[in-house]
Amino acid sequence: MRRLVLVVLLVSACAAASRAFQTTGGAAQPQPTVILLSIDGWRWDYDTRAPAPNLRSLMARGVRAENLIPSFPSKTFPNHYTIVTGLYPGHHGIVANAIKDPATGRLFAMSRTAEVRDPMWWGGEPIWVTAQRAGQSAAAMFWPGSEAPIHGMLPRYWKAYDEDYPPADRVDQVLAWLDLPAERRPTLVTLYFSDVDGAGHRGGPDSSDVRDAIVRVDGYVGRLLRGLERRGLQDAVNLVVVSDHGMANVSRDRVVVLDDYVSLDDDEVVDINPTLGVVPSAGREEPVFRALANAHPRLTVYRRAETPLQWRYRDHPRIPPIVGVMDEGWQIVRRGTAAAVAAGRLRPPGGQHGYDPALMSMRGIFVAAGPAFRTGATVPAFENVQIYNVLAQVLHVTPAANDGGTDVARMLLKQRD
Ligand code: AMP
Ligand code: ZN
Ligand code: ZN
């Protein structure tokens, strides 16, 4: 009898949750909801490398791209912020994981919380601001940019980044946000896992480390799917799974020590490996450029105004005057780093990213399932600047100006009548 009461209670609570979910403040307006999940460093082919039944079930139920083309540089912060703004890094200003702002002389790094929280770094308009400007609420279970009041606005719910925050708790927090009463429930929720990227750096993309991480992270996706099912929300919520970049194999015999070729004591190396960002001291631009251009056949360097056009990486004043990138699988380090590896104080990585987005090894994933998306389709690869407009359309909000178009949304979304 007690069990029957419990079942009845559970079923009616579930029905109430799913009913409330469809309406805003009592109005009979459907309120589309998006969970945007990033699996850092999940290369486009990882679902074939180890069992990933939960991600596979999403692919079967929804739509996937053959792969997702990152923006240059194929690093974490620039690409996460591109995904939520629709702007290339060369347009939104998070031009690398490590940045110097020439106007203020300030340095940005992922670990510098005061900088990460300062809106001066973050150009453009992230989707959570777009959604909240339209009267909706957003929540971030981690996302680069979500800790800064951009245009004076933080996501209504957000968390300080903590890489030790247990993944199961991250999932449960997302589900708890969806349990809030309609007037406080977020319509856009971000979620982030770093395991696969960490394993890729440690062991390289072909390692058992990566295979274990694939299985583990797929388990987190499973926890999320079961949580949605328990709430009767599996067909009400749009789940968009992305990654910021892929991963390439590196090895100790493909490492260039910058200081062996060029003396940069008077200049600033703002960003390194496998990209290079150099700010030469006054008057040294040409000699430094020439020295770097002749340094090593596996290093390609550009003047800021001459980087490949398709990178759209020329305009922003934070792009260093000299930009370099290594060939796939090659690394470039300072002498100190090489010495630390040689002395056994630093473990050399097995995988790296940051290379040209055209390389297949740098491609990520895009999988989306839910009421807004087509089912059972695979579409050709597209650039990650296209995602912002798709999210805006699913949320029924007007996108801010951005670098994306409308074709990808047309490919991915069910036609609305
Ligand atoms: P990357 O060096 O490009 O591989 O960056 C991956 C690292 O970024 C991971 O070690 C994460 O812990 C870190 N990371 C990811 N998201 C954030 C965030 N929102 N705030 C600070 N660090 C982050
Ligand atoms: Zn990353
Ligand atoms: Zn990484």
Side-chain angles (χ1 to χ4, degrees):
M1 181 62 185
R2 263 219 327 261
R3 188 184 285 168
L4 184 69
V5 169
L6 197 70
V7 167
V8 169
L9 278 177
L10 211 68
V11 166
S12 59
C14 209
S18 130
R19 219 172 26 247
F21 208 80
Q22 299 296 333
T23 60
T24 327
Q29 285 284 330
Q31 186 181 272
T33 298
V34 174
I35 299 173
L36 176 63
L37 162 61
S38 164
I39 309 178
D40 199 313
W42 184 292
R43 204 168 74 178
W44 65 281
D45 60 346
Y46 275 1
D47 67 293
T48 65
R49 300 282 179 125
N54 293 297
L55 205 67
R56 283 282 182 91
S57 79
L58 272 181
M59 290 170 181
R61 190 148 71 72
V63 51
R64 73 176 296 189
E66 280 169 9
N67 59 72
L68 182 65
I69 307 168
S71 301
F72 183 83
S74 51
K75 291 273 188 175
T76 296
F77 263 51
N79 278 280
H80 275 88
Y81 200 54
T82 288
I83 289 166
V84 294
T85 57
L87 294 170
Y88 290 102
H91 294 164
H92 63 50
I94 302 296
V95 301
N97 281 346
I99 316 167
K100 179 175 180 159
D101 183 59
T104 58
R106 281 163 62 177
L107 295 172
F108 178 97
M110 299 188 289
S111 55
R112 291 187 171 213
T113 307
E115 302 301 333
V116 162
R117 293 188 175 176
D118 192 322
M120 72 84 114
W121 292 103
W122 308 90
E125 182 177 295
I127 187 68
W128 54 82
V129 171
T130 311
Q132 292 191 162
R133 278 185 162 174
Q136 303 180 18
S137 295
M141 186 63 252
F142 304 153
W143 202 275
S146 64
E147 297 181 44
I150 299 167
H151 301 293
M153 202 185 268
L154 285 158
R156 181 167 181 178
Y157 313 98
W158 63 279
K159 297 277 177 188
Y161 186 70
D162 170 8
E163 62 180 10
D164 296 326
Y165 198 112
D169 295 351
R170 301 182 193 191
V171 170
D172 293 350
Q173 175 61 78
V174 165
L175 293 167
W177 279 326
L178 296 180
D179 286 335
L180 288 169
E183 67 280 7
R184 287 191 284 136
R185 180 188 302 110
T187 51
L188 169 71
V189 185
T190 70
L191 175 58
Y192 170 83
F193 302 122
S194 67
D195 306 38
V196 169
D197 181 69
H201 283 296
R202 278 195 305 277
D206 304 320
S207 63
S208 58
D209 257 10
V210 161
R211 288 194 296 277
D212 292 348
I214 290 170
V215 171
R216 224 167 35 244
V217 170
D218 187 71
Y220 313 151
V221 175
R223 186 181 182 93
L224 179 64
L225 294 178
R226 285 192 305 277
L228 292 173
E229 276 161 25
R230 265 201 305 278
R231 289 162 175 79
L233 296 178
Q234 67 274 21
D235 298 320
V237 167
N238 296 287
L239 183 50
V240 177
V241 185
V242 296
S243 63
D244 49 350
H245 51 71
M247 190 66 67
N249 268 303
V250 295
S251 60
R252 289 184 73 167
D253 56 355
R254 287 177 292 167
V255 179
V256 171
V257 180
L258 175 62
D259 312 72
D260 288 350
Y261 298 89
V262 188
S263 168
L264 294 172
D265 294 343
D266 298 328
D267 312 289
E268 242 181 304
V269 178
V270 176
D271 179 37
I272 192 162
N273 199 22
T275 45
L276 190 62
V278 180
V279 181
S281 58
R284 275 179 51 81
E285 270 193 33
E286 268 315 294
V288 169
F289 175 77
R290 274 197 302 275
L292 287 169
N294 294 317
H296 194 280
R298 299 299 192 163
L299 169 66
T300 307
V301 293
Y302 305 94
R303 296 179 188 89
R304 173 171 51 208
E306 296 168 357
T307 60
L309 190 58
Q310 64 274 19
W311 291 355
R312 304 289 191 277
Y313 198 71
R314 295 178 175 181
D315 309 322
H316 207 285
R318 287 183 202 143
I319 299 169
I322 300 171
V323 174
V325 63
M326 298 302 288
D327 285 357
E328 181 178 24
W330 282 76
Q331 298 188 83
I332 184 160
V333 298
R334 296 309 299 262
R335 186 166 286 148
T337 306
V341 170
R345 279 181 281 117
L346 195 65
R347 243 185 71 168
Q352 190 57 275
H353 56 87
Y355 304 102
D356 189 335
L359 294 164
M360 287 308 290
S361 60
M362 292 300 103
R363 305 294 179 85
I365 49 160
F366 179 95
V367 184
F373 290 94
R374 288 171 60 196
T375 56
T378 300
V379 304
F382 55 81
E383 288 187 301
N384 62 359
V385 292
Q386 303 296 341
I387 295 172
Y388 170 80
N389 280 338
V390 174
L391 299 176
Q393 197 164 320
V394 172
L395 291 168
H396 299 176
V397 295
T398 308
N402 70 91
D403 292 319
T406 53
D407 291 355
V408 171
R410 213 169 302 126
M411 265 192 329
L412 297 176
L413 300 179
K414 281 183 189 150
Q415 295 311 310
R416 267 202 284 156
D417 31 45

